Amino acid sequence: MMAQVVIVGAVGALERLTYMVPASIAEQLTPGHRVLVPLRSRRVTAIVTQVGDNLDSGGAVPKAIIELLEPRPLFDPAHLQLIEFLASYYMVPIGEAFRNVLPSLARVESRQMYRLATAPSLLAQIAFTPLEREIVEALTKRPMTLRQIDRLAESGELKTAIRRLTADGWITSREATRGRHRERTPKDRGHVASEGIGPLEPLARPIERTACDYAQTFGLELTAEQVAAVSAVTSPIRQRQFEPFLLWGVTASGKSEVYIRLASEALAAKRQVLVLVPEIALADQLVGSFRNRFGPLVAVAHSAQNVAERWASWMAALNGDARIMIGPRSAIFAPINDLGLIVVDEEHDSAYKQEEGIRYNARDLAVVLARLASCPVVLGSATPSAESYANGRRARYRMLQMTQRVQQREFARVEIIDLRQQRAAAGQTRTTAPMERATTYQTLGSNALIPPVPQPLSCGRVETSEAAADGAGSAALADQVPLSPPLIEALRENLAAAGQSLVFLNRRGYHNFLQCHLCGNVITCPNCSVSMTFHLRGRMLRCHYCGTSEPAPDKCFECGGFGLEGEGFGTERLVHALARLFPSARIDRMDSDTSGRRGARSAILRGVRSGNVDILVGTQMITKGLDFHNVTLVAVVLADLSLNMPDFRSAERTFQLLTQAAGRAGRGERLGRVLIQTYAPHHYSVRAARDQDYARFIRREMELRRELMYPPFARLALVRIEGDEPAHVSDDATKIATLLAHAAKPESMRVLGPAPAPIERIKQRYRWQVLLKARERNELRAALAKVSSYPARDGIRVSIDIDPLNML
Ligand SMILES: [Zn+2]
Ligand SMILES: [Zn+2]
């Protein structure tokens, strides 16, 4: 018997190979098994894709599989097909696809390790050639692989030297293996993989309660809309049928409860459940609800997990100990081999898109996997993406609507504050009452949490001295924290009423950038074409694209003068402005600067939950999934930030952010209030968010997308060309664009570019791009096939992003 396998990580001719199946494992071996096979002089990991008597081995006599690594196949037929789909749709080699989806521990590999065979003290007297001496000395420090030794010299000489040293007995080589062989479970300890493995074992404590029992057990009454949603999805779960659903439920309509009821249905049908969330760190409330109901049957895959933890959660799913897997996008590949239900929560979220390596979208793959596994998939959102909404309208997905909030809670009252008017009003105030002079970054102490300027304010704006001096110019405006009187008043009232407030600003740091007022120089990142952000904590300048940070300078690099001043504002500065306005308020901040460490985020949230925080300032992190009953005011400081991005999805993202933010208010007994400050009060996304009217927003958005031929009315692919040498990058980009233009039929496909990317340089690499728009996917693929075989010059990386989300 023979088996066809994919060598994990291999490319080209070595990707798919045929091996003999030893008699000892012939009965067990099925497609999806992880095996160890010989490849040239090494042993490598492979995944079996086909087993049979007459497989084509390309004429060569096949070698035998060395070892079966798990008793149970790591991939079931549905996941095997999913990975084939992944490779084909995103146009990557299949060996690469497997390498990307497997936890790194699962990749067992052997390498020849060279080490000294004698005591180092003996070597001093020997007459070695200079190269031999170099090798011996390198090995004195540590054993090395051939590849590591290779760096010492030309390979021809090196081989001779190694042969001589080995023959004379000075050095020796041995095969060393890295990676996890197998998870030894109690039942296979001792004689691994010697017995046949049946279906998942029944649970010790069978789950037989149905959705209705849960309602009784937990005393929760579902709304009529929740009941309808649950019953719609229940029948394909029971009948093991594929059906995609779009669960469009307003904020606080009880989507989580629907997921939980459906999960219990799937468990009752003795199947497993996959729940995808955008970011596991932001999903603690959902994870908590699942844990409350299902206890140890829930496994959680973190992106912050180390390799061993990730592998352990895979094994728990594979062995059937975990019946429900909750995880971020990569969990789509976890070995949940008897799927009865897939849930994609917040399906519109861009975190489902992988932005490195294979740029897949887990939301889209979830629908593919559900079809392959014959189970329903539920895509849930209060603000469905335009793509999913279109699929709902075209009846590709069945739309389930939930328009009511649970327990008849009312929607928060949303008001728009026109910052243009506020600015005009403040200009008049300025002549009668002096505005506060602001602290520039120069005058702030490095450890000052709150700047020591507790003066009363006539208006909440915090200005730089420059801005105060030159009046109400528009340049000055960018440099103020725009806290309008109505917003300040609302915060004051909410504080007095002991309500909690969320203040949302989607930008980190203290000042947006530092600029020299003597010569105009703006300090930019040495590696990227973006300005660096000033963080008061530690007085550092940081690049938000590559992570470079350096101490903020005193003098301008350009003119040598002391002219540097901070411009613009982020969450750090907003906290300071609020602290001066409300000295007795307890203010905390949540953004990736304050919640990076494990546990830091939950500590902040505990503070809010226990009532120890009056005002929580944060980036979009605070708009997602938080459910605090005492939050009665949500303030959006500047809605325009996401609106002004150079991206056709900016209106959609703005609407989603504002709706999610507004949804955080009024989730308890008390009515919520939401204030949105903006310079674009008439923009359709802002107005629709005010009225919490998704339907109106999406109608308008669809019209525009159709007109401009953007998704969901067209297919997009972005070809990125990156390299260190700007002239080479632009030259290759031009050639690729020409190639694509030749392949395009002008009536059905458009080639935009080549052009420098909006952020022209990141991490010292120059970036150009070519955007393809086509009506049909096949046309796009035909053109892109030419790009795959384009011979880019050394140092240039060409990558293809299918259905791109990040256009920067
Ligand atoms: Zn200067
Ligand atoms: Zn940078």
Side-chain angles (χ1 to χ4, degrees):
M1 199 166 75
M2 290 191 281
Q4 193 185 62
V5 306
V6 171
I7 306 284
V8 177
V11 288
L14 289 177
E15 218 170 58
R16 286 184 202 268
L17 295 174
T18 304
Y19 286 87
M20 290 299 298
V21 179
S24 59
I25 57 169
E27 279 196 4
Q28 297 165 256
L29 197 73
T30 62
H33 265 117
R34 188 171 69 110
V35 293
L36 198 63
V37 295
L39 182 68
R40 293 186 178 145
S41 62
R42 301 163 61 210
R43 294 177 295 159
V44 295
T45 302
I47 304 294
V48 177
T49 52
Q50 223 184 326
V51 179
D53 287 325
N54 296 308
L55 298 181
D56 181 15
S57 62
V61 178
K63 296 181 185 170
I65 291 174
I66 298 169
E67 194 181 350
L68 183 61
L69 292 171
E70 277 95 23
R72 203 185 290 280
L74 199 53
F75 297 102
D76 67 348
H79 279 84
L80 277 181
Q81 289 176 66
L82 178 74
I83 293 161
E84 297 276 357
F85 175 89
L86 175 77
S88 137
Y89 187 87
Y90 293 102
M91 307 182 84
V92 290
I94 183 76
E96 256 317 280
F98 274 107
R99 190 181 67 80
N100 267 265
V101 309
L102 275 174
S104 57
L105 261 188
R107 201 172 156 202
V108 179
E109 272 184 346
S110 74
R111 299 167 300 172
Q112 289 295 118
M113 294 294 285
Y114 287 87
R115 60 185 74 236
L116 282 191
T118 48
S121 56
L122 294 177
L123 299 170
Q125 277 76 16
I126 312 297
F128 288 127
T129 67
L131 179 57
E132 288 169 352
R133 172 68 63 195
E134 204 178 340
I135 295 171
V136 164
E137 270 171 12
L139 291 181
T140 315
K141 296 188 191 106
R142 62 187 172 103
M144 291 167 92
T145 62
L146 189 59
R147 186 178 293 178
Q148 287 164 332
I149 299 177
D150 248 352
R151 295 193 194 113
L152 298 177
E154 293 284 316
S155 68
E157 300 170 47
L158 201 76
K159 280 212 175 93
T160 324
I162 290 176
R163 207 174 311 129
R164 259 202 57 198
L165 288 169
T166 313
D168 293 352
W170 301 115
I171 69 172
T172 175
S173 76
R174 209 172 58 203
E175 204 172 54
T177 313
R178 63 169 178 195
R180 187 68 59 94
H181 258 234
R182 57 185 150 253
E183 198 64 22
R184 286 174 197 273
T185 58
K187 61 179 170 295
D188 64 22
R189 194 167 289 140
H191 50 266
V192 176
S194 63
E195 63 217 73
I197 298 294
L200 291 178
E201 285 170 29
L203 293 164
R205 183 172 54 85
I207 298 271
E208 273 159 9
R209 287 178 293 187
T210 60
C212 305
D213 299 331
Y214 269 107
Q216 281 156 12
T217 313
F218 294 97
L220 279 166
E221 211 167 298
L222 296 184
T223 65
E225 290 174 331
Q226 283 176 314
V227 170
V230 169
S231 78
V233 188
T234 296
S235 79
I237 291 176
R238 290 184 180 162
Q239 287 158 27
R240 301 195 160 219
Q241 273 174 355
F242 166 61
E243 192 170 0
F245 293 90
L246 177 58
L247 177 61
W248 164 24
V250 297
T251 53
S253 60
K255 290 187 287 293
S256 305
E257 189 55 33
V258 171
Y259 303 154
I260 285 169
R261 303 291 169 112
L262 293 174
S264 78
E265 282 294 338
L267 295 193
K270 302 207 166 19
R271 303 189 83 185
Q272 285 177 294
V273 177
L274 173 63
V275 180
L276 294 181
V277 294
E279 283 167 75
I280 201 79
L282 302 180
D284 20 17
Q285 278 172 336
L286 185 68
V287 169
S289 318
F290 269 89
R291 284 238 161 98
N292 275 343
R293 303 287 175 92
F294 304 111
L297 299 179
V298 179
V300 178
H302 286 265
S303 35
Q305 272 174 328
N306 64 35
V307 284
E309 288 170 329
R310 177 144 186 254
W311 184 239
S313 71
W314 270 51
M315 286 301 116
L318 184 66
N319 297 330
D321 297 336
R323 292 297 167 108
I324 299 175
M325 167 81 94
I326 306 180
R329 57 176 180 262
S330 62
I332 185 91
F333 304 112
I336 304 167
N337 290 346
D338 196 15
L339 267 172
L341 170 71
I342 305 177
V343 170
V344 183
D345 190 31
E346 308 292 356
E347 67 85 29
H348 62 275
D349 201 300
S350 59
Y352 285 120
K353 174 88 172 167
Q354 166 86 16
E355 292 290 0
E356 276 163 12
I358 303 178
R359 294 163 175 265
Y360 65 87
N361 188 320
R363 188 259 328 267
D364 301 341
L365 289 181
V367 178
V368 175
L369 180 60
R371 181 162 45 76
L372 295 169
S374 300
C375 73
V377 54
V378 178
L379 310 180
S381 176
T383 53
S385 62
E387 287 85 351
S388 295
Y389 177 80
N391 281 327
R393 294 287 299 206
R394 293 167 189 162
R396 286 198 197 132
Y397 298 168
R398 192 161 144 203
M399 194 104 85
L400 303 171
Q401 268 196 61
M402 300 202 298
T403 57
Q404 306 293 317
R405 292 187 131 192
V406 291
Q407 296 164 8
Q408 284 100 44
R409 274 179 212 141
E410 283 182 57
F411 283 104
R413 187 156 48 92
V414 185
E415 298 148 58
I416 295 177
I417 297 174
D418 184 347
L419 283 177
R420 299 168 311 174
Q421 282 176 14
Q422 294 299 326
R423 191 183 127 202
Q428 287 151 16
T429 321
R430 195 167 284 166
T431 53
T432 54
M435 298 284 287
E436 186 203 322
R437 289 174 68 85
T439 44
T440 64
Y441 89 105
Q442 301 276 12
T443 59
L444 292 171
S446 60
N447 296 318
L449 191 65
I450 308 298
V453 204
Q455 291 171 7
L457 292 170
S458 62
C459 168
R461 291 193 182 173
V462 181
E463 295 190 335
T464 63
S465 46
E466 191 185 36
D470 102 301
S474 62
L477 197 77
D479 195 34
Q480 300 163 348
V481 183
L483 295 172
S484 63
L487 187 120
I488 293 167
E489 196 44 45
L491 282 167
R492 198 185 309 280
E493 275 171 22
N494 202 41
L495 274 171
Q500 289 176 304
S501 306
L502 296 184
V503 182
F504 164 54
L505 173 64
N506 214 5
R507 192 157 64 191
R508 293 186 285 135
Y510 191 86
H511 286 303
N512 216 9
F513 55 89
L514 297 187
Q515 183 167 32
C516 174
H517 73 259
L518 300 173
C519 72
N521 175 43
V522 170
I523 300 187
T524 55
C525 173
N527 306 316
C528 312
S529 55
V530 295
S531 57
M532 293 182 93
T533 304
F534 175 72
H535 290 254
L536 182 59
R537 196 194 162 114
R539 299 177 62 83
M540 297 298 279
L541 285 174
R542 275 195 217 131
C543 172
H544 289 180
Y545 283 86
C546 73
T548 295
S549 70
E550 53 189 49
D554 293 328
K555 279 194 279 189
C556 171
F557 303 131
E558 208 54 43
C559 69
F562 289 93
L564 289 175
E565 281 186 351
E567 303 279 336
F569 51 89
T571 43
E572 201 183 16
R573 185 160 163 212
L574 175 58
V575 168
H576 288 204
L578 290 170
R580 263 182 287 165
L581 286 164
F582 308 109
S584 60
R586 295 161 300 174
I587 303 175
D588 207 345
R589 170 163 66 100
M590 189 162 88
D591 55 29
S592 49
D593 295 324
T594 62
S595 64
R597 278 170 295 111
R598 247 185 177 180
R601 201 191 100 89
S602 41
I604 298 171
L605 293 182
R606 258 199 315 278
V608 180
R609 194 170 294 127
S610 60
N612 289 326
V613 174
D614 298 315
I615 300 176
L616 180 65
V617 169
T619 52
Q620 56 176 320
M621 272 184 193
I622 65 169
T623 67
K624 292 183 180 179
L626 299 187
D627 190 0
F628 293 125
H629 286 194
N630 197 31
V631 170
T632 41
L633 176 67
V634 169
V636 178
V637 173
L638 191 53
D640 311 41
L641 284 181
S642 54
L643 211 48
N644 295 332
M645 299 290 269
D647 184 340
F648 73 93
R649 287 193 176 88
S650 63
E652 185 181 20
R653 290 210 179 114
T654 303
F655 177 80
Q656 287 163 351
L657 274 175
L658 296 180
T659 308
Q660 297 290 343
R664 300 310 112 209
R667 296 176 81 97
E669 308 282 293
R670 290 157 66 190
L671 193 62
R673 188 174 174 205
V674 180
L675 298 176
I676 299 174
Q677 296 195 132
T678 176
Y679 290 106
H682 301 296
H683 193 280
Y684 66 98
S685 66
V686 176
R687 297 183 74 119
R690 175 193 63 193
D691 303 337
Q692 314 235 348
D693 192 345
Y694 173 79
R696 196 176 81 214
F697 165 76
I698 199 73
R699 267 201 307 276
R700 180 74 200 280
E701 183 69 16
M702 290 299 219
E703 278 167 25
L704 293 172
R705 300 270 184 104
R706 190 196 300 275
E707 242 166 64
L708 300 169
M709 198 175 146
Y710 273 120
F713 301 99
R715 297 283 185 159
L716 294 189
L718 193 63
V719 181
R720 289 196 179 82
I721 302 100
E722 298 177 15
D724 302 334
E725 194 58 57
H728 293 174
V729 177
S730 65
D731 186 49
D732 266 346
T734 308
K735 285 182 180 149
I736 286 172
T738 312
L739 201 69
L740 287 166
H742 282 305
K745 290 191 213 112
E747 67 280 8
S748 52
M749 191 167 103
R750 288 169 64 186
V751 180
L752 305 171
I759 299 171
E760 228 180 305
R761 199 167 63 114
I762 294 183
K763 296 185 188 173
Q764 296 193 340
R765 289 174 71 80
Y766 290 85
R767 313 162 73 236
W768 278 57
Q769 56 194 34
V770 182
L771 183 66
L772 293 187
K773 272 187 192 180
R775 296 267 174 220
E776 295 298 326
R777 191 163 75 85
N778 287 340
E779 214 168 326
L780 213 56
R781 290 174 64 85
L784 288 169
K786 300 211 153 109
V787 175
S788 308
S789 55
Y790 174 79
R793 61 184 99 202
D794 272 0
I796 300 278
R797 199 177 74 196
V798 178
S799 56
I800 295 173
D801 188 352
I802 308 271
D803 308 329
L805 280 189
N806 179 3
M807 313 296 282
L808 299 179

